[in-house]
Amino acid sequence: TNSSATGYSDTCIDSDQNGFCDNPYDVENDVACLPGFDCSGNTDYLPLSNRGSLETDCSEQGGLDRTNGTGNWNITSRNNCAITNEIITLNGNLTIYGNLTFRNVTLKVNSSYDGEYQIKVMNSGRFIISDYNGDWSNITNGPHNITAFYDFEVFAGSIFEMRNTELRGVRGHQPGTWEDFGLVIWTNNTVIENCKIINSQPNSWIGVHYRNSSGHRMSNCTIYSIHHGVEYTYANKNLLENTDFIGCRGCVGGAQPLIFYSSSNNRVQNCNFQNTTGDGIVLSKREPGENGSNNNRISNCYFDMSGAMASSILVYYSSNNIISNCTMANSRGEHGIGIFGDP
Protein backbone atom coordinates (compact mmCIF):
# COMPACT_ATOMS: atom_id res chain seq x y z
CA THR A 1 0.00 0.00 0.00
CA ASN A 2 1.02 3.60 -0.39
CA SER A 3 -0.24 7.12 0.30
CA SER A 4 -1.72 7.34 -3.19
CA ALA A 5 -3.75 4.14 -2.66
CA THR A 6 -2.30 2.56 -5.82
CA GLY A 7 -0.41 -0.35 -4.24
CA TYR A 8 -1.41 -3.97 -4.65
CA SER A 9 -3.14 -4.09 -1.25
CA ASP A 10 -5.09 -0.96 -2.21
CA THR A 11 -6.30 -2.18 -5.59
CA CYS A 12 -6.57 -5.97 -5.32
CA ILE A 13 -9.92 -7.77 -5.19
CA ASP A 14 -10.98 -8.97 -1.73
CA SER A 15 -14.45 -10.30 -2.53
CA ASP A 16 -15.15 -11.78 0.92
CA GLN A 17 -13.47 -8.88 2.74
CA ASN A 18 -11.42 -11.23 4.93
CA GLY A 19 -8.35 -9.00 4.81
CA PHE A 20 -6.52 -11.04 2.15
CA CYS A 21 -6.41 -10.42 -1.60
CA ASP A 22 -8.16 -13.04 -3.71
CA ASN A 23 -5.12 -13.53 -5.96
CA PRO A 24 -1.42 -14.06 -5.14
CA TYR A 25 1.01 -11.19 -5.57
CA ASP A 26 3.70 -12.11 -8.09
CA VAL A 27 6.61 -9.81 -7.25
CA GLU A 28 8.50 -10.51 -10.46
CA ASN A 29 5.60 -9.79 -12.81
CA ASP A 30 3.61 -7.24 -10.84
CA VAL A 31 6.33 -4.79 -9.80
CA ALA A 32 9.80 -3.86 -10.98
CA CYS A 33 12.55 -5.32 -8.80
CA LEU A 34 15.00 -2.98 -7.11
CA PRO A 35 18.44 -2.84 -8.78
CA GLY A 36 20.69 -5.58 -7.50
CA PHE A 37 17.84 -7.79 -6.22
CA ASP A 38 16.59 -11.02 -7.77
CA CYS A 39 12.79 -11.26 -7.48
CA SER A 40 12.34 -14.35 -9.62
CA GLY A 41 10.08 -16.88 -7.97
CA ASN A 42 9.03 -14.51 -5.21
CA THR A 43 5.27 -14.78 -4.76
CA ASP A 44 3.14 -13.71 -1.83
CA TYR A 45 0.32 -16.26 -1.80
CA LEU A 46 -1.66 -14.46 0.94
CA PRO A 47 -1.14 -10.74 0.30
CA LEU A 48 -2.92 -8.46 2.73
CA SER A 49 -5.82 -6.31 1.53
CA ASN A 50 -6.77 -2.94 2.97
CA ARG A 51 -10.43 -3.84 2.33
CA GLY A 52 -10.85 -6.24 5.17
CA SER A 53 -12.22 -4.70 8.36
CA LEU A 54 -13.91 -5.45 11.64
CA GLU A 55 -17.68 -5.45 11.47
CA THR A 56 -19.69 -3.22 13.74
CA ASP A 57 -23.32 -2.99 14.80
CA CYS A 58 -24.95 -0.71 12.24
CA SER A 59 -27.33 0.63 14.87
CA GLU A 60 -24.52 2.94 15.93
CA GLN A 61 -24.65 4.64 12.55
CA GLY A 62 -26.75 7.73 13.16
CA GLY A 63 -29.60 9.30 11.28
CA LEU A 64 -31.72 6.62 9.66
CA ASP A 65 -34.70 5.03 11.34
CA ARG A 66 -34.46 1.74 9.42
CA THR A 67 -37.89 0.66 10.65
CA ASN A 68 -39.70 3.72 9.32
CA GLY A 69 -37.18 4.77 6.69
CA THR A 70 -36.96 8.37 7.84
CA GLY A 71 -33.98 10.67 8.17
CA ASN A 72 -30.63 11.02 6.47
CA TRP A 73 -28.29 8.06 6.91
CA ASN A 74 -24.63 8.95 7.59
CA ILE A 75 -22.07 6.12 7.74
CA THR A 76 -19.05 7.35 9.70
CA SER A 77 -17.45 4.33 11.40
CA ARG A 78 -14.16 3.05 10.00
CA ASN A 79 -15.22 -0.42 11.12
CA ASN A 80 -17.44 -2.16 8.62
CA CYS A 81 -21.16 -1.49 8.96
CA ALA A 82 -22.42 -4.75 7.39
CA ILE A 83 -26.10 -5.32 6.65
CA THR A 84 -27.45 -8.67 5.44
CA ASN A 85 -30.90 -9.77 4.25
CA GLU A 86 -32.78 -6.53 4.83
CA ILE A 87 -35.26 -4.33 2.96
CA ILE A 88 -34.72 -0.63 3.70
CA THR A 89 -36.81 2.32 2.52
CA LEU A 90 -34.82 5.55 2.50
CA ASN A 91 -36.63 8.88 2.80
CA GLY A 92 -33.43 10.90 2.94
CA ASN A 93 -29.80 10.83 1.78
CA LEU A 94 -27.28 8.04 2.25
CA THR A 95 -23.80 9.53 2.75
CA ILE A 96 -20.89 7.17 3.29
CA TYR A 97 -17.81 8.57 5.03
CA GLY A 98 -16.82 5.24 6.57
CA ASN A 99 -17.38 1.59 5.60
CA LEU A 100 -20.71 0.12 4.49
CA THR A 101 -21.41 -3.36 3.14
CA PHE A 102 -24.71 -4.63 1.72
CA ARG A 103 -25.31 -8.36 1.34
CA ASN A 104 -28.72 -9.17 -0.15
CA VAL A 105 -30.06 -5.75 0.76
CA THR A 106 -32.91 -4.05 -1.07
CA LEU A 107 -32.58 -0.28 -0.71
CA LYS A 108 -35.55 1.76 -1.95
CA VAL A 109 -34.68 5.43 -2.37
CA ASN A 110 -38.07 7.07 -2.03
CA SER A 111 -37.64 10.48 -3.69
CA SER A 112 -40.75 12.52 -4.41
CA TYR A 113 -39.07 14.28 -7.35
CA ASP A 114 -35.98 13.65 -9.48
CA GLY A 115 -32.76 14.15 -7.53
CA GLU A 116 -34.40 14.84 -4.16
CA TYR A 117 -32.35 12.15 -2.42
CA GLN A 118 -28.79 11.03 -3.12
CA ILE A 119 -26.41 8.19 -2.42
CA LYS A 120 -22.89 9.58 -2.01
CA VAL A 121 -19.67 7.69 -1.31
CA MET A 122 -17.30 10.37 -0.05
CA ASN A 123 -13.53 10.41 -0.54
CA SER A 124 -12.94 8.56 2.74
CA GLY A 125 -15.74 6.05 2.21
CA ARG A 126 -16.03 2.44 1.15
CA PHE A 127 -19.24 0.89 -0.23
CA ILE A 128 -19.34 -2.83 -1.05
CA ILE A 129 -22.57 -4.29 -2.48
CA SER A 130 -23.04 -8.00 -3.10
CA ASP A 131 -25.37 -10.99 -2.86
CA TYR A 132 -25.76 -13.32 0.10
CA ASN A 133 -25.87 -17.04 -0.68
CA GLY A 134 -26.99 -16.28 -4.22
CA ASP A 135 -29.71 -13.75 -3.31
CA TRP A 136 -28.92 -10.47 -5.01
CA SER A 137 -28.94 -6.96 -3.64
CA ASN A 138 -31.22 -4.37 -5.24
CA ILE A 139 -30.79 -0.59 -5.28
CA THR A 140 -33.89 1.05 -6.70
CA ASN A 141 -36.30 3.95 -6.55
CA GLY A 142 -39.76 3.94 -4.99
CA PRO A 143 -41.83 2.47 -3.57
CA HIS A 144 -44.25 5.38 -3.28
CA ASN A 145 -43.20 7.33 -6.37
CA ILE A 146 -41.65 5.08 -8.99
CA THR A 147 -41.39 7.96 -11.47
CA ALA A 148 -38.98 9.95 -9.24
CA PHE A 149 -35.28 9.14 -9.58
CA TYR A 150 -32.33 9.50 -7.22
CA ASP A 151 -28.68 10.51 -7.66
CA PHE A 152 -25.77 8.14 -7.05
CA GLU A 153 -22.20 9.49 -6.97
CA VAL A 154 -18.88 7.89 -5.98
CA PHE A 155 -16.20 10.50 -5.28
CA ALA A 156 -12.44 10.38 -5.86
CA GLY A 157 -10.50 8.63 -3.12
CA SER A 158 -13.30 6.23 -2.18
CA ILE A 159 -13.60 2.46 -2.67
CA PHE A 160 -16.56 1.03 -4.57
CA GLU A 161 -17.37 -2.55 -5.57
CA MET A 162 -20.73 -3.89 -6.75
CA ARG A 163 -21.38 -7.56 -7.50
CA ASN A 164 -24.54 -9.62 -8.05
CA THR A 165 -26.73 -6.54 -7.77
CA GLU A 166 -29.57 -4.98 -9.74
CA LEU A 167 -29.35 -1.21 -9.98
CA ARG A 168 -32.25 0.82 -11.33
CA GLY A 169 -33.91 4.20 -10.92
CA VAL A 170 -30.77 6.35 -10.96
CA ARG A 171 -31.35 9.76 -12.53
CA GLY A 172 -29.69 9.75 -15.92
CA HIS A 173 -30.08 13.32 -17.13
CA GLN A 174 -31.10 16.79 -16.03
CA PRO A 175 -33.87 17.97 -18.40
CA GLY A 176 -32.98 21.11 -20.28
CA THR A 177 -29.21 20.62 -19.87
CA TRP A 178 -26.45 18.47 -21.32
CA GLU A 179 -25.38 17.31 -17.86
CA ASP A 180 -25.18 13.52 -17.68
CA PHE A 181 -25.68 11.62 -14.44
CA GLY A 182 -26.32 7.92 -13.98
CA LEU A 183 -24.09 6.15 -11.48
CA VAL A 184 -21.25 8.70 -11.59
CA ILE A 185 -17.84 7.33 -10.62
CA TRP A 186 -14.91 9.69 -9.99
CA THR A 187 -12.65 7.33 -8.03
CA ASN A 188 -10.20 4.76 -9.44
CA ASN A 189 -10.13 0.96 -9.54
CA THR A 190 -13.80 0.17 -9.04
CA VAL A 191 -15.36 -3.22 -9.75
CA ILE A 192 -18.83 -3.85 -11.20
CA GLU A 193 -19.35 -7.54 -11.78
CA ASN A 194 -22.33 -9.75 -12.66
CA CYS A 195 -24.83 -6.91 -12.30
CA LYS A 196 -27.98 -5.72 -14.05
CA ILE A 197 -28.11 -1.98 -14.62
CA ILE A 198 -31.47 -0.74 -15.83
CA ASN A 199 -31.66 2.79 -17.16
CA SER A 200 -35.40 3.29 -17.03
CA GLN A 201 -35.93 7.04 -16.63
CA PRO A 202 -37.89 8.45 -19.59
CA ASN A 203 -35.47 10.27 -21.90
CA SER A 204 -32.67 9.13 -19.59
CA TRP A 205 -29.17 9.44 -20.92
CA ILE A 206 -26.83 7.17 -19.08
CA GLY A 207 -26.52 4.15 -16.81
CA VAL A 208 -22.90 4.28 -15.54
CA HIS A 209 -20.62 7.27 -16.07
CA TYR A 210 -16.88 6.90 -15.37
CA ARG A 211 -15.31 10.37 -15.14
CA ASN A 212 -11.68 11.54 -14.75
CA SER A 213 -10.57 8.18 -13.37
CA SER A 214 -8.91 4.90 -14.34
CA GLY A 215 -8.41 1.23 -13.57
CA HIS A 216 -12.07 0.19 -13.61
CA ARG A 217 -13.28 -3.33 -14.33
CA MET A 218 -16.81 -4.11 -15.49
CA SER A 219 -17.56 -7.72 -16.37
CA ASN A 220 -20.44 -10.15 -16.88
CA CYS A 221 -23.09 -7.44 -16.67
CA THR A 222 -26.28 -6.67 -18.55
CA ILE A 223 -26.96 -3.02 -19.34
CA TYR A 224 -30.53 -2.09 -20.29
CA SER A 225 -30.61 1.46 -21.61
CA ILE A 226 -32.81 3.95 -23.40
CA HIS A 227 -29.91 6.12 -24.57
CA HIS A 228 -26.35 5.65 -23.28
CA GLY A 229 -25.55 2.56 -21.26
CA VAL A 230 -21.95 3.23 -20.17
CA GLU A 231 -19.91 6.36 -20.77
CA TYR A 232 -16.20 6.96 -20.14
CA THR A 233 -15.16 10.63 -19.98
CA TYR A 234 -11.43 11.35 -19.50
CA ALA A 235 -11.20 7.78 -18.17
CA ASN A 236 -8.19 5.66 -19.15
CA LYS A 237 -6.86 2.12 -18.76
CA ASN A 238 -10.15 0.38 -18.04
CA LEU A 239 -11.44 -3.12 -18.85
CA LEU A 240 -14.98 -3.90 -20.02
CA GLU A 241 -15.69 -7.54 -20.83
CA ASN A 242 -18.40 -10.18 -21.20
CA THR A 243 -21.18 -7.63 -20.99
CA ASP A 244 -24.48 -7.39 -22.88
CA PHE A 245 -25.91 -4.04 -23.94
CA ILE A 246 -29.65 -4.27 -24.57
CA GLY A 247 -31.08 -1.19 -26.25
CA CYS A 248 -34.64 0.03 -26.56
CA ARG A 249 -35.89 -0.73 -30.05
CA GLY A 250 -38.44 1.84 -31.12
CA CYS A 251 -37.32 4.49 -28.63
CA VAL A 252 -37.00 8.03 -29.93
CA GLY A 253 -33.46 9.23 -30.60
CA GLY A 254 -30.17 7.50 -31.29
CA ALA A 255 -29.17 5.23 -28.43
CA GLN A 256 -25.40 4.78 -28.25
CA PRO A 257 -24.78 2.02 -25.69
CA LEU A 258 -21.05 2.59 -25.13
CA ILE A 259 -19.20 5.90 -25.46
CA PHE A 260 -15.58 6.88 -24.90
CA TYR A 261 -14.97 10.64 -24.71
CA SER A 262 -11.28 11.60 -24.66
CA SER A 263 -10.54 8.24 -23.03
CA SER A 264 -7.57 6.10 -24.07
CA ASN A 265 -5.85 2.75 -23.52
CA ASN A 266 -9.08 0.92 -22.72
CA ARG A 267 -10.04 -2.66 -23.58
CA VAL A 268 -13.48 -3.88 -24.65
CA GLN A 269 -13.80 -7.61 -25.26
CA ASN A 270 -16.48 -10.27 -25.64
CA CYS A 271 -19.40 -7.85 -25.49
CA ASN A 272 -22.79 -7.99 -27.28
CA PHE A 273 -24.80 -5.02 -28.54
CA GLN A 274 -28.49 -5.59 -29.34
CA ASN A 275 -31.48 -3.43 -30.28
CA THR A 276 -29.41 -0.27 -30.47
CA THR A 277 -30.91 2.66 -32.36
CA GLY A 278 -27.60 4.50 -32.68
CA ASP A 279 -23.90 3.75 -33.02
CA GLY A 280 -22.87 0.72 -30.96
CA ILE A 281 -19.51 2.03 -29.71
CA VAL A 282 -18.34 5.63 -30.07
CA LEU A 283 -14.68 6.66 -29.78
CA SER A 284 -14.48 10.44 -29.80
CA LYS A 285 -13.03 13.56 -28.28
CA ARG A 286 -15.18 15.32 -25.71
CA GLU A 287 -14.70 18.93 -26.76
CA PRO A 288 -13.14 20.72 -29.76
CA GLY A 289 -9.38 20.97 -29.39
CA GLU A 290 -9.10 18.07 -26.95
CA ASN A 291 -7.47 14.71 -27.57
CA GLY A 292 -9.57 11.94 -29.03
CA SER A 293 -10.01 8.44 -27.61
CA ASN A 294 -6.80 6.74 -28.70
CA ASN A 295 -5.01 3.40 -28.37
CA ASN A 296 -8.13 1.45 -27.40
CA ARG A 297 -8.63 -2.25 -28.15
CA ILE A 298 -12.01 -3.72 -29.16
CA SER A 299 -12.16 -7.47 -29.77
CA ASN A 300 -14.60 -10.38 -30.11
CA CYS A 301 -17.72 -8.23 -29.94
CA TYR A 302 -21.07 -8.83 -31.65
CA PHE A 303 -23.29 -6.04 -33.01
CA ASP A 304 -26.90 -6.55 -34.10
CA MET A 305 -27.65 -3.32 -35.95
CA SER A 306 -31.08 -4.27 -37.30
CA GLY A 307 -32.75 -1.42 -35.41
CA ALA A 308 -30.26 1.30 -36.29
CA MET A 309 -29.37 3.57 -39.18
CA ALA A 310 -25.89 4.00 -37.77
CA SER A 311 -22.42 2.47 -37.42
CA SER A 312 -21.49 -0.52 -35.31
CA ILE A 313 -18.36 1.38 -34.27
CA LEU A 314 -17.88 5.10 -34.85
CA VAL A 315 -14.33 6.48 -34.62
CA TYR A 316 -14.37 10.27 -34.53
CA TYR A 317 -11.18 12.33 -34.35
CA SER A 318 -9.38 9.42 -32.65
CA SER A 319 -6.39 7.29 -33.64
CA ASN A 320 -4.39 4.09 -33.09
CA ASN A 321 -7.41 2.03 -32.10
CA ILE A 322 -7.41 -1.70 -32.89
CA ILE A 323 -10.65 -3.55 -33.73
CA SER A 324 -10.41 -7.31 -34.19
CA ASN A 325 -12.62 -10.40 -34.52
CA CYS A 326 -15.89 -8.50 -34.29
CA THR A 327 -19.15 -9.43 -36.03
CA MET A 328 -21.39 -6.66 -37.35
CA ALA A 329 -24.73 -8.14 -38.37
CA ASN A 330 -27.91 -6.83 -39.96
CA SER A 331 -26.44 -3.45 -40.75
CA ARG A 332 -28.90 -1.26 -42.63
CA GLY A 333 -27.31 2.06 -41.78
CA GLU A 334 -24.22 4.05 -42.55
CA HIS A 335 -21.17 1.86 -41.93
CA GLY A 336 -19.88 -1.19 -40.15
CA ILE A 337 -17.01 0.96 -38.93
CA GLY A 338 -17.24 4.69 -39.50
CA ILE A 339 -14.02 6.71 -39.32
CA PHE A 340 -14.31 10.48 -39.43
CA GLY A 341 -12.03 13.44 -38.79
CA ASP A 342 -8.30 13.98 -38.69
CA PRO A 343 -6.97 13.37 -35.19
Side-chain angles (χ1 to χ4, degrees), residues 315-318 339-343:
V315 182
Y316 185 75
Y317 286 95
S318 300
I339 301 176
F340 300 92
D342 182 0

Side-chain angles (χ1 to χ4, degrees), residues 299-316:
S299 62
N300 300 305
C301 293
Y302 179 85
F303 301 83
D304 179 358
M305 302 300 293
S306 58
M309 295 292 289
S311 303
S312 295
I313 301 174
L314 175 64
V315 182
Y316 185 75

